[in-house]
Amino acid sequence: MSGLLKYIGSICLLSIIFSCNPKKDNEVIKIGFSQCISTDQWRKDMNHSMMVQTSLYPNINLKISEADRSIEKQIDQIESFINEEVDVLIVSPLETKRIVPVIEKAYNKGIPVILIDRKIDSDKYTAFVGADNIAVGRMAASYIAASTKNSINVLEIKGTDNSSPTLERSLGFHQVAERESKINKIVSIEDYSDQKFANVLDTLDVTDFDYVYSFNDILARWAWQVAENKGLADQLKFVGVDGLVGPDGGINMVLEGKLEATVLYPTGGAEAIKLARRIHEGEKIQKNNSLNITLIDKLNADIMKNQYEKISEQQEELERQLEAIDIQEQKYYVQNNLLKVAMALLAIILSLAIYSIYSIRIIRRKNRELQLTNKKVIHQRNQIESIAEEVKRSNDAKMNFFTGLSHEFKTPLTLIMSSLESIHMELKGSKSKYLSDLDVISRNSKRLLRLINNLLDFRRIEDEKFNLKVSKTNLYEFSQKISRDFKREAKKRSIKFNIESNNEDLMLLLDRNLMDKVYFNLLSNAFKFTPDHGEIAIKIKYFNEDDRVDIHFTDSGIGIPKDEMEQLFKPFFKARNNNKNSSGIGLNLSRQFVELHNGKIEVHSHHGTEFIVSLPTTDEHFSSDQVIDANDVEEPSYLEVQFESELGNTELLVPEDKDDNQYSILIVEDNLELSRFLNNKLGMHYKTYLSDGTNAIEQAFELIPDIIICDLNLPGKGGFEICDTIKQDLRTSHIPTIILTALGDKESYLKGIESGADLYLTKPFSYAILIQSIKSLLYNREKLRYYYTNNLFKLEKDNKFSNNEQEFISYLNNLIKAHLDDSDFSVEKLAEELNISRVQLYRKVKALLGLNISEYINNYKLERAKIMLEETNFNISEIAYKNGFSTPNYFSTSFKNKYGSSPVSFRKDLRNSN
Ligand code: FRU
């Protein structure tokens, strides 16, 4: 739409611009006029009459250039007119010759050239306008001759240039004078400056002259003035040329008696313009356009003057009217333009009106759409609100259920713990094998209770149901007290653990129960992530002037990734590099507890981690009902601290003798307690090996166990990767693998099966199921063994259902077969060919086939020999050598040991029975 508006605007503007040009429909005629002299009245009259004439034709554009008596200037000006491509060129030439080339140039270019008043020495021009100057000279001479009966002498004052009027006026005068006997003598002078003229008069005998004939009225007046000044004016009679009106004009001088007569010489300005117009319009015109001349003397000067004055008045009137017309025209154009502008504005207003209507309609439509969208949004918002409410209700219900359940847990747990305590008391000192199991149960019950307490705290914080109970506490002593349990652990792990304060007497209001949890949380984190021989410190810094105390908890542990610092205090967050057991709410609770004290907690991590708890030391932050007497404080019923190092204290029972014939199990588990539990339980039936995951693969290759039990979340390589590697490697591919993990989701299960695991058990697991699963896996392996050992040759032929193990056996058999006749072929060489160590080969074959490798090779040879005895006619020695026995005797002994009869009797019995 804005494009449309722009378009309308431009159309209007253009139409205004074009319509403002009054000469739109008339073709403009450009006329250039070169005037040779510009000072005298006659020339001014010529220019004026041209301009008046021009004003009658609105389409004529007249430009006048004044050459100021300079021929060079006049030539240049004509050149400019040529360049401007004027339609008609009018020239009043200064002289006859030097001007010719430029006039011919214009003429040759096709520009019509009109000469006015003066002629040139060429006929290459279009027309001439002017009076006949020979006739002027003749008229003056005839007048002088007619005015006397006596013979007279004439002083002729000529023009100074070689223009055609100068020459012709003199010529005409002389022609008549020669004819007229009355004119005796003519003396011609050229220079007409008054001083010179005066000098000339001095040299001449004035009485000698009767008449002075001047080239024009100006010269005639000067001549009269000089004679008058000398007192000679009365003796002379003066005749001029031009017959101009005005005070100094020839007509006035005649009336004043200064001149006898003057020849009216018309300028021809108006005629030249008329002619130019006609030429431009293509009319046929005459080349020579002669203007009439008249003699003005005492008899007609008055009439002439009156006529002139009349003409002048008319001329002025005409000019006034023209001016009025011009003004009217201007007014017309202004009004016309105003009208057009008004029309254009009207058009714009109309367009805007249309646009407004259109816009209003669009806005209305958009409004309707908006209202609809609004309604939808409101509806959706209401829906979301009700869903949110629903979610909140259900969440609250779940949380209430969960909180209730957690509370419910506490009672049975407490009962379990107190029962345990009494059993423990009973058994204390005895050598009961259940003591270590009791320890495990006790510790884990406490752990469970702490977790439940944390969860309940979390819930209370969420519900804002915490009611602080603060009491005056000595911060340094409080810190010492809480740290006592941790000092034990520090000593055991050679961790430097210090508490220092810049004000050991500082007392402030604390909810000891809550702050105790904060301390416990921060310190147990520090101990969890600080390696043995590390450093942990609590530094209390009191800022008296700020009424603030900062408690710094620093450790030299693994630190926290920078990008995770922000999220550290969010509930259920666990840092990337944290592979320890953690609920993820401890730090969140700590922050909430600190904030309940109007304090704040920050964390920094450079080398190790630093938590800074800032607390206000003034009392005004707490309401009076929050403050209790220090004596009424219930000491925190804190569950004793447990450390991984202590969890690992579960006594590791080492079976006295590891029997080579016992099945072996590799337990890959990083939770020390669980791994020891499994070790102790399974160790009763099997040979067990433990790995925390860091060296699981190496151990598997080394030990070639009969079963591997593997956790998934392990430091270093994860369980999937361990399982996959084991199943891909020839040495270990046969080992049944059990994944034992807390990850119970479908994806993890699938991933486990894909990695080749034979069984996927999730925690908490039933030990009975585990042990039964191990038994089943071992039983299946036994069945396979039986199958493999009894189908040695079948495996080679029937590879239809081959698996890794069958392929291995088949490959092994082929290697043995290829070296049958080589009695030097040893187990070492075989292992080398298989690219494994002798021990690994031994263990693999033992696991797969239940035999040691030499037994297996021997069995293979004997089986083959047996087939040869049955199916070929080779003699005993031949069969012995063909199957790699060093002597027939050794073959016979071995054969008899395995099958109960010697090769000879075996063949005999066979043939007899056939
Ligand atoms: C003016 C004038 C006139 C004369 C004409 C001849 O410059 O001298 O007086 O008639 O020129 O060209």
Side-chain angles (χ1 to χ4, degrees):
M1 199 63 193
S2 69
L4 176 70
L5 275 178
K6 273 185 198 162
Y7 175 72
I8 294 170
S10 342
I11 299 262
C12 295
L13 209 67
L14 282 174
S15 61
I16 293 165
I17 292 166
F18 283 119
S19 61
C20 285
N21 186 349
K23 287 165 188 168
K24 182 187 164 192
D25 301 324
N26 304 331
E27 196 194 333
V28 178
I29 308 170
K30 276 199 285 181
I31 300 176
F33 171 45
S34 170
Q35 175 65 285
C36 57
I37 305 160
S38 45
T39 47
D40 61 83
Q41 193 55 45
W42 189 83
R43 297 271 164 198
K44 284 177 185 163
D45 279 3
M46 185 196 273
N47 293 355
H48 183 247
S49 58
M50 275 191 184
M51 288 189 286
V52 172
Q53 191 62 38
T54 300
S55 64
L56 296 176
Y57 308 112
N59 62 332
I60 293 183
N61 182 359
L62 172 68
K63 187 174 169 190
I64 301 175
S65 314
E66 313 270 4
D68 303 324
R69 267 182 213 282
S70 158
I71 187 66
E72 289 79 19
K73 200 169 175 181
Q74 189 163 39
I75 290 167
D76 284 350
Q77 286 171 349
I78 293 169
E79 282 282 2
S80 300
F81 283 138
I82 295 169
N83 292 338
E84 284 170 31
E85 296 181 340
V86 291
D87 296 305
V88 183
L89 175 66
I90 304 174
V91 182
S92 180
L94 189 63
E95 51 180 74
T96 49
K97 289 190 174 28
R98 283 194 283 172
I99 201 84
V100 170
V102 73
I103 287 183
E104 286 187 348
K105 182 179 173 185
Y107 183 77
N108 290 337
K109 273 203 149 186
I111 300 173
V113 180
I114 300 172
L115 297 179
I116 184 167
D117 159 46
R118 297 180 172 193
K119 292 177 181 163
I120 56 167
D121 280 358
S122 165
D123 57 359
K124 288 199 166 174
Y125 58 89
T126 315
F128 172 79
V129 183
D132 180 354
N133 279 299
I134 295 176
V136 169
R138 284 178 184 161
M139 188 176 270
S142 300
Y143 170 78
I144 290 170
S147 66
T148 182
K149 290 177 188 138
N150 308 321
S151 104
I152 51 168
N153 293 334
V154 179
L155 175 65
E156 183 193 19
I157 305 172
K158 297 207 302 186
T160 50
D161 51 22
N162 285 324
S163 65
S164 62
T166 299
L167 301 171
E168 288 174 358
R169 284 177 196 178
S170 180
L171 177 67
F173 194 85
H174 281 266
Q175 282 173 354
V176 173
E178 273 165 26
R179 266 202 332 257
E180 290 286 341
S181 51
K182 284 181 207 168
I183 297 174
N184 221 2
K185 182 173 80 174
I186 303 170
V187 175
S188 301
I189 54 170
E190 278 185 11
D191 196 342
Y192 51 75
S193 74
D194 51 358
Q195 188 52 49
K196 199 76 187 266
F197 185 63
N199 294 341
V200 172
L201 278 187
D202 283 344
T203 57
L204 293 172
D205 182 2
V206 177
T207 51
D208 222 17
F209 296 100
D210 304 288
Y211 271 92
V212 176
Y213 165 52
S214 297
F215 169 74
N216 60 18
D217 289 343
I218 300 166
L219 287 182
R221 198 178 67 244
W222 281 342
W224 177 84
Q225 193 62 52
V226 170
E228 173 72 7
N229 292 347
K230 287 183 177 274
L232 300 170
D234 292 342
Q235 294 176 33
L236 294 167
K237 289 179 175 157
F238 297 87
V239 174
V241 177
D242 279 349
L244 288 172
V245 280
D248 294 332
I251 294 176
N252 232 19
M253 287 205 287
V254 171
L255 288 173
E256 286 168 0
K258 293 174 184 170
L259 298 188
E260 288 303 305
T262 179
V263 180
L264 174 71
Y265 181 69
T267 62
E271 288 78 3
I273 294 295
K274 282 187 210 163
L275 205 59
R277 194 168 155 268
R278 286 173 59 206
I279 292 169
H280 187 261
E281 278 169 10
E283 274 184 44
K284 255 198 161 340
I285 45 122
Q286 286 179 355
K287 186 153 186 166
N288 193 26
N289 298 277
S290 195
L291 302 173
N292 292 331
I293 56 170
T294 312
L295 187 96
I296 301 167
D297 61 3
K298 277 187 185 107
L299 299 175
N300 63 359
D302 253 342
I303 301 167
M304 290 299 281
K305 189 181 174 187
N306 288 340
Q307 269 183 358
Y308 265 122
E309 277 169 0
K310 266 257 158 10
I311 290 168
S312 259
E313 271 172 30
Q314 280 173 0
Q315 186 81 43
E316 273 168 28
E317 182 59 26
L318 185 71
E319 277 174 35
R320 268 197 303 278
Q321 283 181 5
L322 278 172
E323 243 171 68
I325 289 171
D326 213 33
I327 291 166
Q328 286 302 323
E329 231 172 20
Q330 287 302 326
K331 271 188 190 167
Y332 165 77
Y333 287 130
V334 170
Q335 284 173 0
N336 192 25
N337 289 338
L338 276 175
L339 184 70
K340 283 173 183 166
V341 169
M343 295 288 285
L345 282 174
L346 192 70
I348 292 170
I349 290 166
L350 266 173
S351 318
L352 284 174
I354 293 168
Y355 179 62
S356 303
I357 293 167
Y358 171 77
S359 300
I360 288 167
R361 289 187 60 186
I362 293 216
I363 289 167
R364 276 195 193 140
R365 206 182 63 217
K366 287 255 150 73
N367 252 351
R368 277 199 299 277
E369 284 173 9
L370 213 68
Q371 276 171 356
L372 252 160
T373 322
N374 234 0
K375 267 188 194 164
K376 270 189 203 163
V377 170
I378 291 170
H379 181 66
Q380 281 171 355
R381 197 195 59 201
N382 290 343
Q383 271 184 334
I384 291 169
E385 271 174 7
S386 70
I387 291 170
E389 249 171 58
E390 187 55 42
V391 169
K392 192 177 174 309
R393 259 202 306 278
S394 116
N395 199 38
D396 281 350
K398 276 183 205 160
M399 286 305 278
N400 287 339
F401 167 75
F402 160 79
T403 314
L405 209 63
S406 306
H407 275 293
E408 291 299 316
F409 277 140
K410 282 180 86 171
T411 324
L413 261 176
T414 323
L415 284 173
I416 292 170
M417 282 162 70
S418 53
S419 310
L420 277 173
E421 217 170 304
S422 55
I423 300 173
H424 199 268
M425 295 287 277
E426 286 277 318
L427 297 179
K428 211 171 170 186
S430 73
K431 282 201 171 172
S432 169
K433 59 175 179 173
Y434 297 116
L435 267 175
S436 76
D437 281 351
L438 275 181
D439 269 350
V440 173
I441 300 170
S442 162
R443 262 194 304 277
N444 282 290
S445 304
K446 284 175 188 167
R447 193 164 158 198
L448 213 55
L449 196 54
R450 189 177 319 108
L451 282 173
I452 288 170
N453 281 343
N454 269 351
L455 285 172
L456 289 173
D457 283 350
F458 180 70
R459 181 76 179 132
R460 278 168 74 198
I461 284 272
E462 269 210 326
D463 288 353
E464 294 168 1
K465 281 185 185 157
F466 255 111
N467 193 15
L468 273 194
K469 286 198 181 341
V470 295
S471 59
K472 274 279 173 221
T473 308
N474 178 309
L475 186 64
Y476 179 68
E477 282 172 15
F478 177 76
S479 307
Q480 287 279 10
K481 205 163 158 193
I482 297 175
S483 306
R484 217 175 290 140
D485 282 338
F486 290 90
K487 280 192 172 146
R488 218 174 51 235
E489 168 78 356
K491 198 171 165 199
K492 200 150 107 203
R493 289 172 51 202
S494 309
I495 290 174
K496 217 169 124 193
F497 180 37
N498 272 335
I499 304 177
E500 55 187 69
S501 173
N502 63 353
N503 182 352
E504 293 184 3
D505 301 323
L506 176 69
M507 300 289 288
L508 76 167
L509 286 173
L510 284 185
D511 184 317
R512 295 188 198 165
N513 258 312
L514 298 192
M515 208 40 80
D516 192 273
K517 289 178 182 175
V518 174
Y519 266 70
F520 172 79
N521 201 285
L522 297 179
L523 283 175
S524 52
N525 272 346
F527 275 91
K528 219 193 265 183
F529 296 109
T530 300
D532 292 357
H533 309 286
E535 268 182 52
I536 295 173
I538 300 177
K539 283 178 193 151
I540 300 169
K541 290 183 189 165
Y542 172 53
F543 299 95
N544 191 9
E545 63 284 6
D546 296 344
D547 291 325
R548 190 185 96 223
V549 63
D550 285 356
I551 313 162
H552 297 249
F553 296 83
T554 54
D555 68 52
S556 59
I558 53 170
I560 298 154
K562 263 213 164 60
D563 55 325
E564 293 188 343
M565 302 272 244
E566 290 273 303
Q567 312 190 57
L568 203 62
F569 294 103
K570 287 190 180 154
F572 313 113
F573 175 75
K574 195 172 164 187
R576 257 199 326 271
N577 59 355
N578 174 8
N579 54 24
K580 311 267 177 186
N581 278 328
S582 146
S583 63
I585 56 171
L587 280 176
N588 175 261
L589 278 177
S590 300
R591 190 180 64 179
Q592 309 262 24
F593 291 159
V594 170
E595 282 172 1
L596 282 174
H597 284 83
N598 288 300
K600 59 176 192 197
I601 181 165
E602 280 174 20
V603 62
H604 303 283
S605 185
H606 312 291
H607 305 291
T609 306
E610 177 179 33
F611 284 92
I612 306 169
V613 175
S614 290
L615 295 172
T617 51
T618 48
D619 301 351
E620 68 255 25
H621 310 286
F622 303 106
S623 61
S624 58
D625 60 319
Q626 289 179 321
V627 184
I628 55 165
D629 194 308
N631 298 324
D632 298 341
V633 178
E634 271 178 52
E635 278 311 313
S637 60
Y638 209 75
L639 291 167
E640 73 187 63
V641 193
Q642 286 168 359
F643 298 99
E644 262 183 34
S645 65
E646 283 177 325
L647 293 177
N649 276 352
T650 308
E651 204 185 336
L652 184 65
L653 303 176
V654 184
E656 285 110 47
D657 253 333
K658 294 216 172 178
D659 177 0
D660 256 7
N661 289 324
Q662 250 183 342
Y663 289 111
S664 60
I665 300 181
L666 173 62
I667 301 163
V668 187
E669 172 63 64
D670 66 331
N671 180 311
L672 216 50
E673 193 165 27
L674 179 60
S675 103
R676 293 204 166 173
F677 171 79
L678 287 173
N679 176 69
N680 293 352
K681 288 279 182 198
L682 296 174
M684 297 201 283
H685 314 284
Y686 307 105
K687 199 157 50 159
T688 50
Y689 300 100
L690 296 183
S691 162
D692 62 357
T694 49
N695 60 349
I697 294 172
E698 293 75 9
Q699 287 226 62
F701 289 158
E702 176 65 29
L703 302 165
I704 319 281
D706 292 297
I707 299 267
I708 295 175
I709 299 175
C710 187
D711 187 13
L712 286 182
N713 278 341
L714 293 166
K717 284 197 175 85
F720 292 128
E721 202 183 333
I722 295 173
C723 210
D724 196 47
T725 314
I726 284 167
K727 286 293 180 184
Q728 294 299 323
D729 197 282
L730 182 71
R731 293 166 285 185
T732 48
S733 56
H734 64 281
I735 304 174
T737 317
I738 301 172
I739 285 178
L740 193 57
T741 174
L743 302 179
D745 58 300
K746 205 166 127 194
E747 286 75 33
S748 306
Y749 179 78
L750 273 175
K751 235 175 134 184
I753 299 301
E754 270 165 23
S755 69
D758 297 78
L759 206 64
Y760 192 95
L761 293 180
T762 50
K763 293 175 191 171
F765 63 94
S766 146
Y767 178 72
I769 292 178
L770 177 68
I771 192 92
Q772 195 47 53
S773 305
I774 293 171
K775 281 182 184 163
S776 305
L777 286 172
L778 290 171
Y779 176 68
N780 287 341
R781 187 120 303 272
E782 274 312 329
K783 279 208 294 192
L784 264 179
R785 256 183 216 159
Y786 181 78
Y787 172 75
Y788 290 148
T789 40
N790 289 296
N791 294 281
L792 275 186
F793 295 101
K794 213 172 164 203
L795 287 178
E796 285 169 43
K797 289 175 202 154
D798 181 14
N799 262 350
K800 244 196 287 177
F801 301 105
S802 72
N803 58 22
N804 279 351
E805 298 356 301
Q806 290 189 12
E807 263 171 41
F808 172 75
I809 295 166
S810 161
Y811 185 55
L812 186 73
N813 290 351
N814 285 337
L815 281 176
I816 299 170
K817 196 158 91 185
H819 295 91
L820 270 184
D821 42 2
D822 177 3
S823 52
D824 285 345
F825 189 64
S826 61
V827 173
E828 279 79 7
K829 280 191 182 157
L830 187 59
E832 219 170 89
E833 296 247 6
L834 285 164
N835 220 1
I836 56 178
S837 78
R838 199 183 65 83
V839 179
Q840 282 168 338
L841 176 61
Y842 172 83
R843 286 184 176 155
K844 172 97 190 176
V845 171
K846 182 89 180 156
L848 211 53
L849 303 164
L851 298 168
N852 72 43
I853 182 68
S854 351
E855 276 172 348
Y856 179 73
I857 296 172
N858 224 28
N859 263 6
Y860 182 86
K861 289 177 179 175
L862 290 169
E863 273 295 298
R864 220 168 155 265
K866 191 175 153 213
I867 293 168
M868 280 188 178
L869 285 170
E870 287 165 349
E871 294 173 3
T872 68
N873 286 324
F874 294 123
N875 62 35
I876 306 299
S877 317
E878 279 171 330
I879 292 175
Y881 292 124
K882 272 189 192 297
N883 287 301
F885 290 96
S886 45
T887 62
N889 268 350
Y890 176 54
F891 167 54
S892 293
T893 318
S894 305
F895 195 88
K896 194 169 180 182
N897 284 346
K898 183 160 170 64
Y899 300 109
S901 60
S902 71
V904 179
S905 36
F906 177 78
R907 188 176 249 178
K908 211 178 188 177
D909 292 348
L910 195 74
R911 294 208 170 143
N912 285 341
S913 67
N914 287 339

